Amino acid sequence: MAISIKHKRSLSNRAASRARRQIRGRKKIAGSADRPRLVITRSSKHIVAQVVNDLEGHTLASASTMETDLRSFEGDKTAKAKKVGELVADRAKAAGVETVVFDRAGNKYAGRVAALADGAREGGLEF
């Protein structure tokens, strides 16, 4: 799985640094059938979590703040991220996944990313 940022010449320094961190992490982290990858995608308003089996290229479970039941959820973005973590953990458990590899995708492990991870742990996933 070769990932390159050479074709993304229009990235700002901050985005390019995050892309480099993401590439470094993906060299070491890979999801398998028995231990898939829990990947985070974070934007300024929303957060998405997916449980991915990289060997087959399948998404086993996903959750997002863009879903209708979470759009009506009261609270700040950190509380919504924790709820997304709990929701993706429930869906992963229903798909038969107990343990995952956490992929923060170059984001700092703080704030919403940490809240999502805590919610997933409380939901029953093991990292």
Side-chain angles (χ1 to χ4, degrees), residues 22-103:
Q22 184 177 9
I23 290 167
R24 273 198 314 264
R26 293 280 166 82
K27 288 179 186 175
K28 302 171 189 174
I29 298 172
S32 62
D34 54 338
R35 192 166 175 180
R37 180 170 55 102
L38 174 63
V39 61
I40 305 297
T41 305
R42 185 181 69 89
S43 72
S44 60
K45 289 185 178 182
H46 297 287
I47 193 161
V48 179
Q50 293 180 326
V51 178
V52 178
N53 179 356
D54 288 325
L55 297 178
E56 297 179 8
H58 290 288
T59 300
L60 305 174
S62 67
S64 170
T65 56
M66 293 179 278
E67 296 176 4
T68 56
D69 54 343
L70 285 178
R71 281 192 179 264
S72 62
F73 182 75
E74 292 296 324
D76 59 349
K77 291 187 280 188
T78 305
K80 287 183 180 183
K82 188 168 185 174
K83 188 69 175 174
V84 167
E86 294 170 357
L87 192 59
V88 76
D90 291 340
R91 293 177 182 173
K93 300 270 281 180
V97 175
E98 298 288 329
T99 61
V100 295
V101 178
F102 187 67
D103 182 8

